[in-house]
């Protein structure tokens, strides 16, 4: 059974619940980016037939999720707000092999990391959906998240299965261990924001230099 290396404290739910519309807007952008990322994998790996058909399915599902989230947001009187850089995914991609400037012979390594990073992002979303479904006081929103759990659970497993179809099991296991630890390290240090992939770390106060 796959496990994340850092468990989100339950208090995260109470903090994001202060602004459900902001959470939904951020979540909608996550779904949209998941669909775009699945399409980008197709563009970069056109000859990997299994990957192409699965990514086409994922892209379709993520766009459906986007539509569901955006619809709920509108029904609640909100609207999508402009997306802002996401420190979670940026650190994860930047600190894995995917973020390196790669020569052609390293493309292979990039794909392995890309698949495993995607699996981790899906697994973290799954953890957050579980927390929201269980602990939100807003029961309508809680049920909304409960309904999204099965798809997210399939997605996080599917990216790992694809990695295993493309690479030797031992290599996948080794990289998965590293990226799982990396993801936990990143999340545990992220400051709080009303976002699907935020953390709860205290914001470091930088003291201004006082001239003597
Ligand atoms: Fe989704
Ligand atoms: Fe997903």
């Amino acid at each position: 059974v796959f496990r994340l290396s850092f468990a989100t404290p339950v208090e995260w739910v109470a903090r994001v619940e202060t602004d459900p519309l902001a959470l939904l807007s951020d979540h909608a952008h996550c779904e949209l980016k998941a669909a775009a990322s699945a399409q980008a994998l197709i563009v970069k790996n056109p000859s990997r037939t299994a990957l192409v058909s699965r990514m086409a399915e994922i892209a379709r599902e993520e766009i459906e999720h986007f539509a569901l989230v955006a619809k709920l947001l509108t029904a609640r009187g909100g609207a999508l707000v402009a997306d802002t850089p996401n420190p979670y995914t940026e650190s994860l991609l930047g600190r894995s092999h995917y973020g390196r400037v790669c020569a052609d012979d390293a493309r292979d390594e990039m794909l392995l990391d890309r698949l495993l990073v995607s699996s981790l992002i899906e697994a973290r979303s799954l953890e957050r959906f579980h927390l929201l479904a269980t602990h939100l006081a807003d029961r309508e929103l809680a049920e909304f998240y409960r309904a999204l759990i099965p798809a997210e659970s399939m997605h996080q497993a599917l990216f790992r299965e694809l990695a295993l179809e493309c690479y030797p099991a031992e290599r996948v296991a080794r990289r998965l261990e590293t990226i799982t630890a990396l993801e936990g390290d990143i999340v545990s240090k992220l400051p709080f924001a009303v976002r699907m992939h935020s953390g709860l770390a205290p914001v470091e106060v930088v003291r201004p230099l006082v001239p003597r």
Side-chain angles (χ1 to χ4, degrees):
V1 180
F2 174 72
R3 274 183 191 282
L4 292 165
S5 66
F6 171 80
T8 302
V10 176
E11 62 183 287
W12 176 83
V13 177
R15 305 265 323 254
V16 293
E17 194 164 21
T18 57
D19 194 350
L21 297 183
L23 180 68
L24 286 169
S25 177
D26 179 69
H27 178 189
H29 281 293
C30 291
E31 300 287 1
L32 203 54
K33 281 181 277 192
S37 144
Q39 291 175 74
L41 270 166
I42 296 176
V43 173
K44 284 191 182 156
N45 302 277
S47 58
R48 291 184 189 267
T49 314
L51 181 145
V52 169
S53 70
R54 281 163 182 208
M55 287 306 116
E57 269 171 50
I58 292 232
R60 184 178 47 75
E61 280 185 31
E62 304 293 25
I63 277 291
E64 280 171 13
H65 292 167
F66 167 76
L68 286 172
V69 180
K71 192 176 157 196
L72 180 61
L73 179 62
T74 320
R76 287 179 163 231
L80 272 181
V81 295
D83 193 25
T84 51
N86 189 333
Y88 171 74
T89 39
E90 280 177 13
S91 315
L92 203 44
L93 289 171
R95 285 171 63 187
S96 65
H97 285 160
Y98 188 76
R100 286 191 199 161
V101 179
C102 283
D104 268 2
D105 58 353
R107 279 250 164 90
D108 200 45
E109 209 168 1
M110 280 174 71
L111 175 62
L112 174 57
D113 274 27
R114 188 73 182 86
L115 293 172
L116 296 180
V117 162
S118 293
S119 172
L120 261 300
I121 297 173
E122 297 280 351
R124 181 62 64 186
S125 305
L126 175 62
E127 185 221 31
R128 299 281 160 107
F129 290 3
H130 262 295
L131 282 173
L132 293 165
T134 313
H135 301 286
L136 276 174
D138 180 335
R139 293 319 293 166
E140 185 202 37
L141 203 54
E143 285 316 308
F144 181 77
Y145 280 107
R146 187 170 303 285
L148 289 175
I149 286 174
E152 231 53 20
S153 179
M154 293 262 293
H155 294 170
Q156 53 94 29
L158 191 145
F159 280 106
R160 282 200 311 283
E161 283 161 26
L162 260 181
L164 285 168
E165 278 173 30
C166 302
Y167 301 95
E170 199 208 323
R171 189 172 158 202
V172 173
R174 245 187 296 123
R175 250 350 253 167
L176 183 61
E177 200 180 309
T178 305
I179 294 175
T180 303
L182 173 69
E183 195 271 349
D185 181 60
I186 289 167
V187 175
S188 69
K189 290 172 183 161
L190 281 178
F192 178 74
V194 181
R195 302 191 82 149
M196 195 52 77
H197 298 118
S198 60
L200 281 175
V203 178
E204 273 179 50
V205 179
V206 182
R207 293 218 182 113
L209 288 173
V210 183
R212 293 186 203 197

